[in-house]
Amino acid sequence: MMKHYILSLNPTAKHEWDRCILRDPLTAKRPDIAKLISEAVGAETGNYLVSVNIEVTVLEQASPSPAEQLSLTFPEVNLPSQLREAA
């Protein structure tokens, strides 16, 4: 059984559970690994000793884009001296 997932690593995430996230690329849901293994074993009741081989191949890496900052420049406004005194 071949499955593809998106792995997101963020060592600076606020919460520990957000530091390493495995998601389905189509639904964005986190996979239930135990459910996937049980589907591979079958529906018959019982206890199983299973061997799980996880082979990881990086297909593509997308670096997070830096947060774009919008810089606003305001022209300098010269107020007449009468307005400055009133203010």
Side-chain angles (χ1 to χ4, degrees), residues 27-66:
T27 64
K29 293 182 180 178
R30 295 183 182 197
D32 182 355
I33 302 297
K35 182 179 177 187
L36 292 173
I37 294 170
S38 68
E39 289 172 0
V41 168
E44 200 169 319
T45 303
N47 295 314
Y48 299 86
L49 174 62
V50 297
S51 173
V52 178
N53 182 24
I54 297 177
E55 181 180 331
V56 177
T57 304
V58 177
L59 300 176
E60 183 177 339
Q61 179 183 2
S63 300
S65 60

Side-chain angles (χ1 to χ4, degrees), residues 3-7 22-31:
K3 295 283 189 179
H4 291 88
Y5 296 104
I6 295 172
L7 175 66
L22 195 63
R23 294 198 183 274
D24 184 285
L26 298 176
T27 64
K29 293 182 180 178
R30 295 183 182 197

Side-chain angles (χ1 to χ4, degrees), residues 71-75:
S71 62
L72 299 175
T73 57
F74 296 100

